[in-house]
Amino acid sequence: MSKTYEAFQNGWLRLPGQEIRFAGIPWSKHAKFEGVALKHLVTAKETDGQFSYHLVRVAPGKAIGAHTHPAQLETHEVIGGTGRCINNGSVLPYEPGVVSIFPMGLEHSVQADEEGLLLFAKFMPALC
């Protein structure tokens, strides 16, 4: 695991008068994509629906298939592992330090390599 991933996994959401420890937030299996898990760090509840932040774990050799978010802009920050993304028809290598942006309605997909892939995903407005 990467140090950045571990920092997020064990980090905190700190707001005036409120702290939420990320380690206490459970992982959820993705409803459609096998081998993909999400940890909803910041949800619509904390942001009045304006944005949401999520850790995304893609198991080795697994994928987030082609899909769109008609009502959200999405960003990925790669914080561990390697893979590739198809963004607007272009294949982009994914490795730590890469940021990718998906405007509303843009089809995209992600494939993890043999070590898996760890993403910090952001949605505006909130996904959930």
Side-chain angles (χ1 to χ4, degrees), residues 12-35:
W12 295 83
L13 170 62
R14 291 192 170 131
L15 300 170
Q18 181 183 17
E19 288 190 342
I20 299 171
R21 185 166 179 89
F22 295 155
I25 299 171
W27 284 95
S28 303
K29 290 182 180 180
H30 196 286
K32 286 179 63 177
F33 303 116
E34 180 186 344

PDB file of all heavy atoms in Angstrom, residues 12-35:
ATOM      1  N   TRP A  12      -8.744  11.951   8.802  1.00  0.00           N
ATOM      2  CA  TRP A  12      -9.885  12.599   9.456  1.00  0.00           C
ATOM      3  C   TRP A  12     -10.552  13.600   8.526  1.00  0.00           C
ATOM      4  O   TRP A  12      -9.881  14.246   7.730  1.00  0.00           O
ATOM      5  CB  TRP A  12      -9.410  13.408  10.664  1.00  0.00           C
ATOM      6  CG  TRP A  12      -8.817  12.613  11.763  1.00  0.00           C
ATOM      7  CD1 TRP A  12      -7.525  12.161  11.852  1.00  0.00           C
ATOM      8  CD2 TRP A  12      -9.467  12.192  12.948  1.00  0.00           C
ATOM      9  NE1 TRP A  12      -7.353  11.481  13.020  1.00  0.00           N
ATOM     10  CE2 TRP A  12      -8.534  11.487  13.718  1.00  0.00           C
ATOM     11  CE3 TRP A  12     -10.768  12.338  13.428  1.00  0.00           C
ATOM     12  CZ2 TRP A  12      -8.844  10.938  14.950  1.00  0.00           C
ATOM     13  CZ3 TRP A  12     -11.068  11.790  14.658  1.00  0.00           C
ATOM     14  CH2 TRP A  12     -10.118  11.095  15.399  1.00  0.00           C
ATOM     15  N   LEU A  13     -11.860  13.750   8.678  1.00  0.00           N
ATOM     16  CA  LEU A  13     -12.565  14.921   8.151  1.00  0.00           C
ATOM     17  C   LEU A  13     -12.704  15.852   9.334  1.00  0.00           C
ATOM     18  O   LEU A  13     -13.289  15.476  10.364  1.00  0.00           O
ATOM     19  CB  LEU A  13     -13.949  14.550   7.610  1.00  0.00           C
ATOM     20  CG  LEU A  13     -14.843  15.750   7.268  1.00  0.00           C
ATOM     21  CD1 LEU A  13     -14.216  16.607   6.174  1.00  0.00           C
ATOM     22  CD2 LEU A  13     -16.228  15.277   6.875  1.00  0.00           C
ATOM     23  N   ARG A  14     -12.153  17.029   9.214  1.00  0.00           N
ATOM     24  CA  ARG A  14     -12.229  18.011  10.295  1.00  0.00           C
ATOM     25  C   ARG A  14     -12.970  19.239   9.795  1.00  0.00           C
ATOM     26  O   ARG A  14     -12.538  19.892   8.855  1.00  0.00           O
ATOM     27  CB  ARG A  14     -10.836  18.378  10.783  1.00  0.00           C
ATOM     28  CG  ARG A  14     -10.180  17.227  11.513  1.00  0.00           C
ATOM     29  CD  ARG A  14      -8.940  17.634  12.250  1.00  0.00           C
ATOM     30  NE  ARG A  14      -8.511  16.530  13.101  1.00  0.00           N
ATOM     31  CZ  ARG A  14      -7.281  16.071  13.134  1.00  0.00           C
ATOM     32  NH1 ARG A  14      -6.349  16.625  12.393  1.00  0.00           N
ATOM     33  NH2 ARG A  14      -6.977  15.060  13.930  1.00  0.00           N
ATOM     34  N   LEU A  15     -14.089  19.509  10.442  1.00  0.00           N
ATOM     35  CA  LEU A  15     -14.922  20.676  10.169  1.00  0.00           C
ATOM     36  C   LEU A  15     -15.119  21.415  11.490  1.00  0.00           C
ATOM     37  O   LEU A  15     -14.959  20.823  12.556  1.00  0.00           O
ATOM     38  CB  LEU A  15     -16.276  20.244   9.602  1.00  0.00           C
ATOM     39  CG  LEU A  15     -16.250  19.457   8.305  1.00  0.00           C
ATOM     40  CD1 LEU A  15     -17.630  18.894   8.002  1.00  0.00           C
ATOM     41  CD2 LEU A  15     -15.764  20.324   7.166  1.00  0.00           C
ATOM     42  N   PRO A  16     -15.499  22.682  11.450  1.00  0.00           N
ATOM     43  CA  PRO A  16     -15.770  23.366  12.713  1.00  0.00           C
ATOM     44  C   PRO A  16     -16.799  22.588  13.540  1.00  0.00           C
ATOM     45  O   PRO A  16     -17.897  22.301  13.066  1.00  0.00           O
ATOM     46  CB  PRO A  16     -16.327  24.724  12.265  1.00  0.00           C
ATOM     47  CG  PRO A  16     -15.732  24.931  10.906  1.00  0.00           C
ATOM     48  CD  PRO A  16     -15.676  23.547  10.300  1.00  0.00           C
ATOM     49  N   GLY A  17     -16.390  22.179  14.725  1.00  0.00           N
ATOM     50  CA  GLY A  17     -17.301  21.485  15.629  1.00  0.00           C
ATOM     51  C   GLY A  17     -17.546  20.027  15.295  1.00  0.00           C
ATOM     52  O   GLY A  17     -18.405  19.389  15.897  1.00  0.00           O
ATOM     53  N   GLN A  18     -16.794  19.452  14.330  1.00  0.00           N
ATOM     54  CA  GLN A  18     -17.044  18.062  13.933  1.00  0.00           C
ATOM     55  C   GLN A  18     -15.757  17.410  13.429  1.00  0.00           C
ATOM     56  O   GLN A  18     -15.001  18.010  12.668  1.00  0.00           O
ATOM     57  CB  GLN A  18     -18.103  18.021  12.827  1.00  0.00           C
ATOM     58  CG  GLN A  18     -18.449  16.636  12.359  1.00  0.00           C
ATOM     59  CD  GLN A  18     -19.459  16.649  11.218  1.00  0.00           C
ATOM     60  OE1 GLN A  18     -19.682  17.659  10.576  1.00  0.00           O
ATOM     61  NE2 GLN A  18     -20.049  15.517  10.954  1.00  0.00           N
ATOM     62  N   GLU A  19     -15.521  16.170  13.861  1.00  0.00           N
ATOM     63  CA  GLU A  19     -14.425  15.365  13.344  1.00  0.00           C
ATOM     64  C   GLU A  19     -14.941  13.961  13.053  1.00  0.00           C
ATOM     65  O   GLU A  19     -15.658  13.383  13.875  1.00  0.00           O
ATOM     66  CB  GLU A  19     -13.282  15.255  14.356  1.00  0.00           C
ATOM     67  CG  GLU A  19     -12.507  16.528  14.534  1.00  0.00           C
ATOM     68  CD  GLU A  19     -11.238  16.307  15.355  1.00  0.00           C
ATOM     69  OE1 GLU A  19     -11.121  15.275  16.054  1.00  0.00           O
ATOM     70  OE2 GLU A  19     -10.368  17.180  15.280  1.00  0.00           O
ATOM     71  N   ILE A  20     -14.588  13.443  11.882  1.00  0.00           N
ATOM     72  CA  ILE A  20     -14.977  12.090  11.512  1.00  0.00           C
ATOM     73  C   ILE A  20     -13.706  11.340  11.140  1.00  0.00           C
ATOM     74  O   ILE A  20     -12.959  11.764  10.254  1.00  0.00           O
ATOM     75  CB  ILE A  20     -15.965  12.081  10.328  1.00  0.00           C
ATOM     76  CG1 ILE A  20     -17.244  12.825  10.700  1.00  0.00           C
ATOM     77  CG2 ILE A  20     -16.259  10.649   9.877  1.00  0.00           C
ATOM     78  CD1 ILE A  20     -18.186  13.057   9.544  1.00  0.00           C
ATOM     79  N   ARG A  21     -13.454  10.239  11.821  1.00  0.00           N
ATOM     80  CA  ARG A  21     -12.262   9.426  11.541  1.00  0.00           C
ATOM     81  C   ARG A  21     -12.576   8.481  10.372  1.00  0.00           C
ATOM     82  O   ARG A  21     -13.533   7.718  10.423  1.00  0.00           O
ATOM     83  CB  ARG A  21     -11.856   8.638  12.771  1.00  0.00           C
ATOM     84  CG  ARG A  21     -10.565   7.888  12.576  1.00  0.00           C
ATOM     85  CD  ARG A  21     -10.006   7.386  13.894  1.00  0.00           C
ATOM     86  NE  ARG A  21      -8.781   6.650  13.650  1.00  0.00           N
ATOM     87  CZ  ARG A  21      -7.577   7.199  13.614  1.00  0.00           C
ATOM     88  NH1 ARG A  21      -7.437   8.486  13.818  1.00  0.00           N
ATOM     89  NH2 ARG A  21      -6.526   6.452  13.384  1.00  0.00           N
ATOM     90  N   PHE A  22     -11.753   8.526   9.328  1.00  0.00           N
ATOM     91  CA  PHE A  22     -11.986   7.706   8.143  1.00  0.00           C
ATOM     92  C   PHE A  22     -11.897   6.213   8.439  1.00  0.00           C
ATOM     93  O   PHE A  22     -12.578   5.417   7.802  1.00  0.00           O
ATOM     94  CB  PHE A  22     -11.003   8.063   7.035  1.00  0.00           C
ATOM     95  CG  PHE A  22     -11.160   9.466   6.490  1.00  0.00           C
ATOM     96  CD1 PHE A  22     -10.089  10.108   5.901  1.00  0.00           C
ATOM     97  CD2 PHE A  22     -12.366  10.150   6.570  1.00  0.00           C
ATOM     98  CE1 PHE A  22     -10.219  11.390   5.387  1.00  0.00           C
ATOM     99  CE2 PHE A  22     -12.508  11.439   6.067  1.00  0.00           C
ATOM    100  CZ  PHE A  22     -11.416  12.050   5.473  1.00  0.00           C
ATOM    101  N   ALA A  23     -11.062   5.811   9.399  1.00  0.00           N
ATOM    102  CA  ALA A  23     -10.920   4.387   9.719  1.00  0.00           C
ATOM    103  C   ALA A  23     -12.242   3.789  10.181  1.00  0.00           C
ATOM    104  O   ALA A  23     -12.472   2.592  10.018  1.00  0.00           O
ATOM    105  CB  ALA A  23      -9.842   4.185  10.776  1.00  0.00           C
ATOM    106  N   GLY A  24     -13.130   4.598  10.731  1.00  0.00           N
ATOM    107  CA  GLY A  24     -14.423   4.110  11.194  1.00  0.00           C
ATOM    108  C   GLY A  24     -15.490   4.023  10.114  1.00  0.00           C
ATOM    109  O   GLY A  24     -16.597   3.552  10.369  1.00  0.00           O
ATOM    110  N   ILE A  25     -15.169   4.462   8.899  1.00  0.00           N
ATOM    111  CA  ILE A  25     -16.128   4.407   7.787  1.00  0.00           C
ATOM    112  C   ILE A  25     -15.951   3.080   7.068  1.00  0.00           C
ATOM    113  O   ILE A  25     -14.840   2.736   6.644  1.00  0.00           O
ATOM    114  CB  ILE A  25     -15.915   5.590   6.818  1.00  0.00           C
ATOM    115  CG1 ILE A  25     -16.121   6.910   7.552  1.00  0.00           C
ATOM    116  CG2 ILE A  25     -16.847   5.469   5.617  1.00  0.00           C
ATOM    117  CD1 ILE A  25     -15.731   8.135   6.732  1.00  0.00           C
ATOM    118  N   PRO A  26     -17.021   2.301   6.910  1.00  0.00           N
ATOM    119  CA  PRO A  26     -16.864   0.982   6.281  1.00  0.00           C
ATOM    120  C   PRO A  26     -16.647   1.070   4.766  1.00  0.00           C
ATOM    121  O   PRO A  26     -17.051   2.029   4.119  1.00  0.00           O
ATOM    122  CB  PRO A  26     -18.199   0.293   6.588  1.00  0.00           C
ATOM    123  CG  PRO A  26     -19.171   1.421   6.712  1.00  0.00           C
ATOM    124  CD  PRO A  26     -18.396   2.570   7.321  1.00  0.00           C
ATOM    125  N   TRP A  27     -16.006   0.035   4.223  1.00  0.00           N
ATOM    126  CA  TRP A  27     -15.902  -0.129   2.780  1.00  0.00           C
ATOM    127  C   TRP A  27     -17.208  -0.732   2.275  1.00  0.00           C
ATOM    128  O   TRP A  27     -17.807  -1.563   2.939  1.00  0.00           O
ATOM    129  CB  TRP A  27     -14.755  -1.077   2.425  1.00  0.00           C
ATOM    130  CG  TRP A  27     -13.402  -0.436   2.563  1.00  0.00           C
ATOM    131  CD1 TRP A  27     -12.575  -0.504   3.639  1.00  0.00           C
ATOM    132  CD2 TRP A  27     -12.744   0.380   1.594  1.00  0.00           C
ATOM    133  NE1 TRP A  27     -11.435   0.205   3.397  1.00  0.00           N
ATOM    134  CE2 TRP A  27     -11.507   0.766   2.139  1.00  0.00           C
ATOM    135  CE3 TRP A  27     -13.070   0.816   0.314  1.00  0.00           C
ATOM    136  CZ2 TRP A  27     -10.588   1.560   1.460  1.00  0.00           C
ATOM    137  CZ3 TRP A  27     -12.174   1.609  -0.369  1.00  0.00           C
ATOM    138  CH2 TRP A  27     -10.940   1.979   0.200  1.00  0.00           C
ATOM    139  N   SER A  28     -17.633  -0.307   1.096  1.00  0.00           N
ATOM    140  CA  SER A  28     -18.837  -0.840   0.459  1.00  0.00           C
ATOM    141  C   SER A  28     -18.451  -1.435  -0.883  1.00  0.00           C
ATOM    142  O   SER A  28     -17.697  -0.821  -1.646  1.00  0.00           O
ATOM    143  CB  SER A  28     -19.855   0.280   0.200  1.00  0.00           C
ATOM    144  OG  SER A  28     -20.186   0.944   1.380  1.00  0.00           O
ATOM    145  N   LYS A  29     -18.971  -2.620  -1.180  1.00  0.00           N
ATOM    146  CA  LYS A  29     -18.752  -3.200  -2.500  1.00  0.00           C
ATOM    147  C   LYS A  29     -19.505  -2.374  -3.530  1.00  0.00           C
ATOM    148  O   LYS A  29     -20.636  -1.945  -3.279  1.00  0.00           O
ATOM    149  CB  LYS A  29     -19.251  -4.646  -2.538  1.00  0.00           C
ATOM    150  CG  LYS A  29     -18.420  -5.594  -1.736  1.00  0.00           C
ATOM    151  CD  LYS A  29     -18.957  -7.009  -1.866  1.00  0.00           C
ATOM    152  CE  LYS A  29     -18.123  -7.964  -1.057  1.00  0.00           C
ATOM    153  NZ  LYS A  29     -18.618  -9.343  -1.166  1.00  0.00           N
ATOM    154  N   HIS A  30     -18.890  -2.154  -4.675  1.00  0.00           N
ATOM    155  CA  HIS A  30     -19.566  -1.435  -5.753  1.00  0.00           C
ATOM    156  C   HIS A  30     -20.740  -2.287  -6.231  1.00  0.00           C
ATOM    157  O   HIS A  30     -20.617  -3.505  -6.386  1.00  0.00           O
ATOM    158  CB  HIS A  30     -18.602  -1.152  -6.898  1.00  0.00           C
ATOM    159  CG  HIS A  30     -19.099  -0.127  -7.847  1.00  0.00           C
ATOM    160  ND1 HIS A  30     -20.113  -0.385  -8.753  1.00  0.00           N
ATOM    161  CD2 HIS A  30     -18.750   1.162  -8.035  1.00  0.00           C
ATOM    162  CE1 HIS A  30     -20.344   0.704  -9.460  1.00  0.00           C
ATOM    163  NE2 HIS A  30     -19.536   1.660  -9.048  1.00  0.00           N
ATOM    164  N   ALA A  31     -21.868  -1.658  -6.473  1.00  0.00           N
ATOM    165  CA  ALA A  31     -23.082  -2.379  -6.869  1.00  0.00           C
ATOM    166  C   ALA A  31     -22.956  -3.067  -8.233  1.00  0.00           C
ATOM    167  O   ALA A  31     -23.578  -4.095  -8.465  1.00  0.00           O
ATOM    168  CB  ALA A  31     -24.273  -1.425  -6.877  1.00  0.00           C
ATOM    169  N   LYS A  32     -22.147  -2.518  -9.142  1.00  0.00           N
ATOM    170  CA  LYS A  32     -22.076  -3.059 -10.501  1.00  0.00           C
ATOM    171  C   LYS A  32     -20.753  -3.729 -10.842  1.00  0.00           C
ATOM    172  O   LYS A  32     -20.730  -4.622 -11.670  1.00  0.00           O
ATOM    173  CB  LYS A  32     -22.296  -1.935 -11.517  1.00  0.00           C
ATOM    174  CG  LYS A  32     -23.724  -1.459 -11.639  1.00  0.00           C
ATOM    175  CD  LYS A  32     -23.862  -0.339 -12.642  1.00  0.00           C
ATOM    176  CE  LYS A  32     -23.501  -0.778 -14.041  1.00  0.00           C
ATOM    177  NZ  LYS A  32     -23.705   0.278 -15.049  1.00  0.00           N
ATOM    178  N   PHE A  33     -19.644  -3.304 -10.234  1.00  0.00           N
ATOM    179  CA  PHE A  33     -18.336  -3.729 -10.694  1.00  0.00           C
ATOM    180  C   PHE A  33     -17.637  -4.610  -9.655  1.00  0.00           C
ATOM    181  O   PHE A  33     -17.269  -4.144  -8.581  1.00  0.00           O
ATOM    182  CB  PHE A  33     -17.476  -2.518 -11.056  1.00  0.00           C
ATOM    183  CG  PHE A  33     -18.117  -1.633 -12.095  1.00  0.00           C
ATOM    184  CD1 PHE A  33     -18.479  -0.333 -11.788  1.00  0.00           C
ATOM    185  CD2 PHE A  33     -18.387  -2.111 -13.367  1.00  0.00           C
ATOM    186  CE1 PHE A  33     -19.073   0.480 -12.734  1.00  0.00           C
ATOM    187  CE2 PHE A  33     -18.984  -1.299 -14.325  1.00  0.00           C
ATOM    188  CZ  PHE A  33     -19.331  -0.006 -14.005  1.00  0.00           C
ATOM    189  N   GLU A  34     -17.457  -5.894 -10.014  1.00  0.00           N
ATOM    190  CA  GLU A  34     -16.803  -6.858  -9.127  1.00  0.00           C
ATOM    191  C   GLU A  34     -15.355  -6.446  -8.858  1.00  0.00           C
ATOM    192  O   GLU A  34     -14.647  -6.000  -9.755  1.00  0.00           O
ATOM    193  CB  GLU A  34     -16.823  -8.237  -9.783  1.00  0.00           C
ATOM    194  CG  GLU A  34     -16.166  -9.311  -8.956  1.00  0.00           C
ATOM    195  CD  GLU A  34     -16.071 -10.636  -9.681  1.00  0.00           C
ATOM    196  OE1 GLU A  34     -16.764 -10.825 -10.704  1.00  0.00           O
ATOM    197  OE2 GLU A  34     -15.289 -11.465  -9.224  1.00  0.00           O
ATOM    198  N   GLY A  35     -14.943  -6.581  -7.603  1.00  0.00           N
ATOM    199  CA  GLY A  35     -13.570  -6.262  -7.230  1.00  0.00           C
ATOM    200  C   GLY A  35     -13.328  -4.786  -6.984  1.00  0.00           C
ATOM    201  O   GLY A  35     -12.183  -4.366  -6.820  1.00  0.00           O
TER     202      GLY A  35
END
